[in-house]
Each structure stands twice: as C-alpha cells, then as structure tokens.
Amino acid sequence: RFAQAGLERSRDEYLRGETGHDVLTTWWQHLTLGTPPRGLGIRLTLDATLQAEVAEALSPYRGAAGVVSASTGDILAMASSPSYDANTLEAEWADLTVRADAPLLNRATQGRYQPGMMLAPLLLSVAADDSEVTLDQALEGLSAGVNVDSEQLGCSLTPREADQAAAAASYATALYFGCPAPLSQLGTRLGAAWLDETIARYALRETALEELEPAQPTPPEIPAAGSVPGLEAIGQGSLAVTPLQLARAYAALRSNGALPSLRIVSGLEEPGGAWVDLPLDEGRRQTAGTAAAAAVLLALDRDSGDFRAMAASALTGSGGRRVNWFAGASPEGEPGLVVVVVLENGTLADAWRIGKQALVGAGAAVH
C-alpha cells in the first residue's frame, strides 16, 4: 500500500512465499486458498545491539552511518536519521511525506553527498601505488585554502606550526590534518583521466548493494565550479556518493586494497524451518597495492594507534552548506571494521564522536 524499498522490494517474492517453496506446493496453495504459501524469512548480517546504538547516536541529527566488516563485506549496522515508526505508518503517512527533513529517505543508501577530502586517502593510495607520489615527500603550502564556488576550504584540523615547515609538511600530514591544497594540486597535475580511473577502481560510481539501493539515485546540486581536476581531487566536483559507497571504498583500504562485495542477507529460511547460510562472495578486485593501502591507513593513526580515521567537511549545494564526514577503521588484525558517518547538520566534532563510538561498539559486538 505504501510502496516498497530496500529488502522489502528486492526480497518481496521470498518474504511473501511466492518463491522458496516447491512448485507443487505453491500451485496447490493458490488453487485451494487463492494465496501463496507461508512467507519465508531472511536472516540479516546486522547486529541488533550495534544497530540500536548507532541509530540512537544519530537520532538528534540528519544523516546516516554504516558499519562494515572489511574482511567479509557484511553490513553490521546501517542507520538513517530522522527515521519513522513503521507500526504507525498509516496514521502518520500524510505528515511523513511532506516533512522537510525527509524521514522516508534512507540516507545511507539513497543520500548522495559530495565526499570532500574523504577522497584523499583513496586517491593517495593509488598515486603512491603508481609511483606518482610518496607519502613522506616534502610539500609547501600545506595549510593554503582552496576556493570552491566563492567559498574557501581549509584544513579540517589546524596543523601545528612545526607541521607547516617544509621539512615536516608531506602528503601524510596533509592526510592527517585533512588539508585540501596538496590534493588539489595533485589532481591538477595528474588530470581528469587519472582521477576518473581512480574513482572507478574504488567503485564510487557503482551501486554499492543492489538489494538496497535504487537503480537511479538522484544526484544533489553541485557547485557551479563544475568538473575541474583540482576540485574533483578534493571531492568538490561532479562526484556524489552514498555513505554505503564510501564505506565499501574504505573497507578496501582496510583489507589491503581489495574491494569487498557488500552483503546484508546471510541466510534464508527453508519451508521446513531450517536455515541455509548464503556463501560469501570471494571475488574481489584490487584498488591499490597492499603496501600503499596500508601506508595510507597508517598515516591516519589516532589515539596512539587505537584506530585510523579521516574526517572532513564538504561543501554541498549553494549558499555554503556543508556536510560533515567521518570514516574510521580498526587497526591491524581482526576484526577489520570500517565505520562511515555523514551529518547534514551538527559539527565535524559530532561526526567524529558518533563514528568513534560506533567503531568501539562494533569491536565489542564482533568480539
């Protein structure tokens, strides 16, 4: 009655009992009762406790968050805020469809945002792998601003004076502090074709998980500056991504450059009540070399190696509006976990707090 989306859409026939039963049972049920047999269940990869924690942390904001296992591609949590209560959908439908904060939009899979400097670790992993840069090479102008559609972007974190010295400033420090100027210059030098190829390697223009995402998500308004390599390289050009796409890309970094296939359904119920485990998709394509991916993540070490993280604000649309991103990964060893958060309101510190909290919660849930 209210249309379908996500797994309700992609697994509809199984959940209603139209498929999964043998042909004779289905035919007889339709003949005698005019309905399909009993609907069958699907088992999700989501961790219920972690899912509730992430949703609660997001609830004061507009945004989305996802937690992914880099080693398996399993989605452990995925939340969008604001949300709604499906039990009161009929009573609240008229209000939900006109609310300015769009609670019916699943921002994790349908929200399209410019990535800003969240692209930097991905681009530098490929540039280092291609021997175009080394992470420790000296740079000048680390803290310079970059003009984007009459606005100026600077470092996400303020570098210390020592880090601004030519001997200390490097691509590694540009990553650590989220400074756009070196990446913008790199994009200009390497050009549009290289950038397009790198974005393709990380599948940022591909549907992250067809079971969940619409076929043709609507891109957001982009800055009038348009597609310029120097702006594309800092995520302020034509590229717009979903949080789930970015989570898959960072999962590739965490798994030594191997891009995982995401999964949210781990098992199917059989007519007799038994469950069949679905196999993992072992096919992975390499985005960057193992050494380059590991070095980029190492440059993002936080809290004495407790986790690796990148955070940045991205201009989105006109009028200086910004979204705040966080992407974090667990350190070496298992479980290999990745968390991505995007907030349409709030602050960069809010995104960081939610992301770090989810990363800690995910580690506890998996262990």
Side-chain angles (χ1 to χ4, degrees), residues 92-113:
E92 298 179 0
W93 181 254
D95 176 59
L96 290 171
T97 57
V98 298
R99 276 175 49 179
D101 57 357
L104 294 174
L105 175 69
N106 186 340
R107 287 165 163 84
T109 62
Q110 295 173 290
R112 307 282 289 184
Y113 306 94

Side-chain angles (χ1 to χ4, degrees), residues 84-173:
Y84 60 93
D85 183 353
N87 295 305
T88 60
L89 193 59
E90 184 166 4
E92 298 179 0
W93 181 254
D95 176 59
L96 290 171
T97 57
V98 298
R99 276 175 49 179
D101 57 357
L104 294 174
L105 175 69
N106 186 340
R107 287 165 163 84
T109 62
Q110 295 173 290
R112 307 282 289 184
Y113 306 94
Q114 289 186 277
M117 275 292 287
M118 305 306 291
L119 276 187
L122 311 179
L123 298 186
L124 283 177
S125 69
V126 176
D129 198 42
D130 292 347
S131 300
E132 295 288 352
V133 302
T134 60
L135 292 183
D136 60 355
Q137 75 184 65
L139 298 174
E140 294 183 357
L142 177 71
S143 302
V146 177
N147 290 321
V148 181
D149 197 24
S150 76
E151 297 285 332
Q152 189 169 78
L153 284 180
C155 299
S156 300
L157 304 174
T158 303
R160 300 180 299 271
E161 288 186 10
D163 296 309
Q164 298 183 49
S170 64
Y171 281 112
T173 51

